[in-house]
Amino acid sequence: MMSSMYAPPIDALDLDVDSFATPLQQRRFVAAMQRLAASRAPGAAVRVYVSAAPRTMNNPKWENWLAQIAQELPDGVEVLHYRSVFSDDRPYDWDAFAQEVDGLVVVGKQKRAGSRVYRFGPVARLELRSLIARQPVLLYAHSQGLIPVIDCQSQVLTPEGTPRLKLIAPKRWHQETSTLQAALHALTPTSPDDESSSEAPGHLAHPFVAPPG
């Protein structure tokens, strides 16, 4: 079952949009990102994991994609990926590692050059699902840059019974949107002498749930 963070399926006639999320979903997302930003301890490191399949990391353009992702993230963010984290000394254990990251960027297989459709295998889907309700999760769209997954249309694919994921980037996406700006703000490191941040209130354990009242 898909998280409530995902936009519902949309009729083909409505694909020419700047976001597939409803206004209410966007407002809740922005509010959640603001709460995450307010909860960040001064001087705390910010780590973002880039999720990509082996064939994507073997692509000659991989280093360029990583550089573009790093450039679009706030200054001071530590960008991690499978080969920089996991090794013979540290086998892949996503459940444990997910507690160490502050955000996720997913890099999928583009349907074709110039397409807004991206496909993800079962591992990337599980990584995304584990963080979608807790941290900023962004799609790296090759021609559009970083897009919050909340703004994408999602579809679960089950070839041979193995759940996979398809994300469609909105055609009229623009980087000035409130959701992206809020996500980037939530990933911005704070200065050690910044006293505006405080300890996270209890509701931040589930930041995408509307606060009571």
Side-chain angles (χ1 to χ4, degrees):
M1 184 175 182
M2 298 302 293
S3 164
S4 60
M5 282 291 294
Y6 287 96
I10 291 180
D11 185 272
L13 295 177
D14 297 323
L15 293 178
D16 186 14
V17 296
D18 55 12
S19 174
F20 290 112
T22 65
L24 178 59
Q25 287 175 314
Q26 290 177 306
R27 290 195 298 271
R28 286 180 173 175
F29 179 85
V30 169
M33 294 297 99
Q34 291 172 341
R35 293 195 294 271
L36 285 175
S39 73
R40 188 168 307 288
V46 178
R47 311 173 84 203
V48 171
Y49 183 79
V50 179
S51 175
R55 66 182 169 195
T56 299
M57 292 186 285
N58 289 333
N59 190 299
K61 297 181 180 180
W62 170 241
E63 293 298 332
N64 290 336
W65 294 337
L66 272 181
Q68 183 177 352
I69 290 169
Q71 184 176 9
E72 294 194 21
L73 290 170
D75 291 341
V77 171
E78 183 180 2
V79 178
L80 306 171
H81 55 87
Y82 184 92
R83 292 173 178 169
S84 68
V85 175
F86 303 108
S87 63
D88 292 340
D89 295 330
R90 184 176 186 179
Y92 179 82
D93 182 348
W94 178 255
D95 289 340
F97 177 69
Q99 307 305 314
E100 304 176 18
V101 297
D102 303 284
L104 180 72
V105 174
V106 290
V107 183
K109 179 183 178 183
Q110 201 171 19
K111 185 174 181 180
R112 60 180 177 275
S115 173
R116 293 178 291 108
V117 178
Y118 297 85
R119 296 176 183 269
F120 302 86
V123 173
R125 175 178 174 269
L126 290 175
E127 291 175 349
L128 185 152
R129 282 175 59 87
S130 72
L131 291 181
I132 192 69
R134 298 194 293 113
Q135 303 288 7
V137 178
L138 308 166
L139 165 70
Y140 172 63
H142 297 301
S143 61
Q144 297 169 290
L146 297 178
I147 304 175
V149 169
I150 182 70
D151 290 308
C152 299
Q153 185 183 17
S154 68
Q155 180 182 357
V156 176
L157 310 173
T158 55
E160 301 178 354
T162 303
R164 299 173 183 271
L165 180 67
K166 178 171 72 175
L167 294 178
I168 302 176
K171 184 176 181 179
R172 292 193 283 111
W173 168 256
H174 57 91
Q175 295 188 329
E176 293 74 28
T177 185
S178 61
T179 50
L180 177 62
Q181 298 309 310
L184 295 179
H185 181 55
L187 292 171
T188 300
T190 56
S191 170
D193 56 1
D194 184 355
E195 298 181 356
S196 61
S197 297
S198 59
E199 290 189 15
H203 67 267
L204 285 174
H206 302 282
F208 296 102
V209 176

